Amino acid sequence: MSTVTRANLVEHLYSRVGLSRHDSSMILESLLDAISNRLEAGESVKLSGFGTFSVRQKGERIGRNPKTGVEVPILPRAVLVFRPSQLLRDRMNGSENVAVEAPSRDK
């Protein structure tokens, strides 16, 4: 299993869409910049059928150095959170075409 890189994504765009490698690279960079800018502004980014990226603020808390046991303050910070869509979860679990049925009321 390998890691997906920007170069892999550019190559995939190039082979699937038929644009030049340069144009494919520009499209990918533009997309990543748009997503990054929204996240930096504190907005959520929802990619339908894939998932939602959002920024969560974590407050200050007290942590402990496991080696010495000394308490250390951990400063407030923003963390990036990804929540996969149900469609992506289903694909990951091999149930891509499973339809959810409502329970029957017949007895």
Side-chain angles (χ1 to χ4, degrees):
M1 183 175 283
S2 64
T3 302
V4 176
T5 64
R6 287 179 186 217
N8 296 136
L9 293 172
V10 167
E11 193 61 32
H12 186 76
L13 274 173
Y14 167 73
S15 66
R16 293 285 178 120
V17 179
L19 297 173
S20 70
R21 283 187 173 90
H22 180 265
D23 289 343
S24 297
S25 176
M26 296 302 291
I27 288 171
L28 178 63
E29 291 302 321
S30 177
L31 175 67
L32 295 176
D33 283 344
I35 291 171
S36 297
N37 290 339
R38 295 294 177 143
L39 292 169
E40 284 177 26
E43 299 176 35
S44 292
V45 176
K46 181 177 182 177
L47 301 174
S48 203
F50 184 71
T52 303
F53 294 92
S54 57
V55 178
R56 191 176 86 196
Q57 298 297 324
K58 294 186 88 172
E60 183 175 345
R61 62 188 176 91
I62 299 297
R64 190 176 309 274
N65 181 329
K67 199 170 194 178
T68 64
V70 175
E71 289 185 350
V72 180
I74 299 173
L75 300 176
R77 63 193 186 282
V79 294
L80 181 62
V81 179
F82 176 70
R83 179 170 163 79
S85 71
Q86 188 62 50
L87 180 62
L88 180 58
R89 285 186 225 170
D90 290 344
R91 289 183 68 180
M92 296 303 302
N93 291 310
S95 55
E96 187 173 346
N97 295 322
V98 175
V100 177
E101 294 183 32
S104 175
R105 292 190 172 182
D106 297 333
K107 294 215 174 194

